[in-house]
Amino acid sequence: MNILIIGGRGTIGKKVVKHFDGIHEVIIASRTEVGMPVDISDSASIKAMFEQIGQVDAIVCIAGEAKWAAFNSLSEADYYIGLRSKLMGQVNLVRIGQHYLSEKGSITLSTGILADDPVLKTASAAMVNGAIHSFVQAVALEMDRGIRVNVVSLGLVEDAYEKYKSYFPGHIPITMKQACMAYERSVMGTDNGKIIRIYK
Ligand SMILES: NC(=O)c1ccc[n+]([C@@H]2O[C@H](COP(=O)([O-])OP(=O)(O)OC[C@H]3O[C@@H](n4cnc5c(N)ncnc54)[C@H](OP(=O)(O)O)[C@@H]3O)[C@@H](O)[C@H]2O)c1
């Protein structure tokens, strides 16, 4: 199977790449990836990436940004960061990427616990995650050629614990193994239109 992993050098992405690599052919893409640059907030960039790669069996997105700040300091422009990158970036990956998938291929998006259990300063990030959950459930009803679409929604992962622990008091981080297995379930299993929640 050849698997495109966008954000494959990030905190979560690099562990997911390691999980699949060797068993499958993994292609890594991101804004700074020399061989396969892509900015998911720009649909022309997404299209150019797929033209370069050609057909894949699975698309995994572990990328996308949203602004974290107190509600009263978030400007309208701040919201558009998350809308353009994490939300529409992943929507456009499905819109464009479906045409480059083999029959019965899959698309896996990423959100996070904020959709269900937000913390302070996440009005924008939580909103975007929730929108992606609704999008995935709806779009899965309309995919052709047996293509599946799921979203992995993780709690704070252990490799990001030190960086984010002040935002998540009392949260027990999930292991990187649990995170990788969630992506494996989406790519290798039969789930479709599912929100694969891994929270502790
Ligand atoms: N860390 C956690 O505990 C946690 C928990 C639940 C959900 N999540 C979500 O999971 C995703 C990944 O988290 P992470 O902690 O692994 O983040 P990270 O360490 O910042 O890695 C993100 C990766 O995505 C790429 N990227 C960012 N924006 C992009 C864009 N517009 N186009 C293409 N590539 C882009 C980055 O590479 P370049 O800079 O080269 O583009 C980077 O490799 C995020 O959406 C995050 O919200 C994280």
Side-chain angles (χ1 to χ4, degrees), residues 42-65:
D42 173 3
S43 47
S45 171
I46 295 174
K47 173 98 175 131
M49 171 190 66
F50 281 115
E51 282 298 307
Q52 193 182 333
I53 299 172
Q55 187 171 279
V56 292
D57 300 312
I59 299 165
V60 177
C61 181
I62 319 178
E65 296 174 331

Side-chain angles (χ1 to χ4, degrees), residues 48-85:
M49 171 190 66
F50 281 115
E51 282 298 307
Q52 193 182 333
I53 299 172
Q55 187 171 279
V56 292
D57 300 312
I59 299 165
V60 177
C61 181
I62 319 178
E65 296 174 331
K67 174 96 174 178
W68 286 42
F71 176 67
N72 281 327
S73 69
L74 279 170
S75 66
E76 182 176 350
D78 289 335
Y79 282 93
Y80 283 112
I81 296 168
L83 293 176
R84 290 210 176 87
S85 176

